[in-house]
Amino acid sequence: AQSVTQLDSHVSVSEGTPVLLRCNYSSSYSPSLFWYVQHPNKGLQLLLKYTSAATLVKGINGFEAEFKKSETSFHLTKPSAHMSDAAEYFCVVSDSAGGTSYGKLTFGQGTILTVHP
Amino acid sequence: NAGVTQTPKFQVLKTGQSMTLQCAQDMNHEYMSWYRQDPGMGLRLIHYSVGAGITDQGEVPNGYNVSRSTTEDFPLRLLSAAPSQTSVYFCASRRDREETQYFGPGTRLLVL
């Protein structure tokens, strides 16, 4: 079984300040982890993914995330927020059981990021 | 290359009506899935398919049917719509042995 907990339902930052969106996961297997972003009334766009290579993963638009196995965390960060970053962000774990990847995704509840001028 | 497409974009149904949400992909992906998105609950898996002729249930399958007669298409059927099925529905696809899933733009469904 796998699960994802996003620790904050809403995060509010000022433009130009750092962004931290927190995610903890549980998985019976070596997980693959993703962050997706959803802008209002839009579909989901992949920001970045971790698939057992480097633990620090860089994504699009200046975002990055660090996989910490000991803490079962995969927090998303960005050094300086931009107004266009305002959106809902989802942390996702993929079911990759024993090398046979069914690819069933389990989503966190989402974190809404608000960026103030 | 259109990616994953969904139709319609928006639909209003009355309780008890039936309809089919269409999903198609042109990337020759083996895996296709249907999710529903509800506020504060993220996306939840309804049904998925690992190839033509093969489907399985996800986390919330009740009230929905699927079939996969071709690699490209994966329609989702609501046989008798209920207000609890008011949601935004996303279709996704991915290639076998690859992790990244590609999502369609979504269908917003309102059941009165």
Side-chain angles (χ1 to χ4, degrees), chain A residues 88 90 107-110, chain B residues 36-44 59:
Chain A
E88 188 165 17
F90 293 96
F107 283 73
Q109 302 90 331
Chain B
R36 60 177 289 172
Q37 182 181 27
D38 301 292
M41 302 185 76
L43 277 72
R44 293 179 292 168
E59 181 184 356

Side-chain angles (χ1 to χ4, degrees), chain B residues 34-78:
Chain B
W34 275 102
Y35 295 85
R36 60 177 289 172
Q37 182 181 27
D38 301 292
M41 302 185 76
L43 277 72
R44 293 179 292 168
L45 182 64
I46 304 172
H47 285 285
Y48 67 99
S49 169
V50 300
I54 306 169
T55 63
D56 205 348
Q57 296 181 348
E59 181 184 356
V60 287
N62 293 338
Y64 307 95
N65 283 345
V66 293
S67 60
R68 184 96 179 271
S69 57
T70 67
T71 299
E72 294 78 18
D73 300 299
F74 191 43
L76 178 71
R77 298 183 184 85
L78 284 70

Side-chain angles (χ1 to χ4, degrees), chain B residues 2-92:
Chain B
V4 181
T5 58
Q6 292 183 238
T7 57
K9 290 185 177 180
F10 181 72
Q11 182 73 47
V12 179
L13 291 178
K14 295 181 180 179
T15 297
Q17 287 185 316
S18 63
M19 79 160 295
T20 299
L21 281 64
Q22 301 291 345
C23 174
Q25 51 92 9
D26 61 358
M27 298 174 282
N28 202 31
H29 286 173
E30 294 86 354
Y31 288 68
M32 297 186 73
S33 308
W34 275 102
Y35 295 85
R36 60 177 289 172
Q37 182 181 27
D38 301 292
M41 302 185 76
L43 277 72
R44 293 179 292 168
L45 182 64
I46 304 172
H47 285 285
Y48 67 99
S49 169
V50 300
I54 306 169
T55 63
D56 205 348
Q57 296 181 348
E59 181 184 356
V60 287
N62 293 338
Y64 307 95
N65 283 345
V66 293
S67 60
R68 184 96 179 271
S69 57
T70 67
T71 299
E72 294 78 18
D73 300 299
F74 191 43
L76 178 71
R77 298 183 184 85
L78 284 70
L79 298 179
S80 179
S84 61
Q85 294 178 303
T86 293
S87 188
V88 181
Y89 292 84
F90 288 98
C91 179

Side-chain angles (χ1 to χ4, degrees), chain A residues 6 12 23 28 36 47 56 70-71 76 82-83 85 94 106 108:
Chain A
Q6 291 182 240
S12 181
C23 172
S28 303
Y36 281 86
L47 270 181
L56 182 61
S70 61
E71 299 177 9
L76 182 70
H82 192 273
M83 295 296 291
D85 294 328
S94 175
T106 300

Side-chain angles (χ1 to χ4, degrees), chain A residues 12-17 81-84 86 114-117:
Chain A
S12 181
V13 301
S14 297
E15 191 174 21
T17 63
H82 192 273
M83 295 296 291
S84 61
T114 302
V115 182
H116 297 288

Side-chain angles (χ1 to χ4, degrees), chain A residues 86-106:
Chain A
E88 188 165 17
Y89 292 79
F90 293 96
C91 182
V92 182
V93 61
S94 175
D95 169 11
S96 300
T100 301
S101 175
Y102 292 101
K104 289 189 288 184
L105 302 182
T106 300

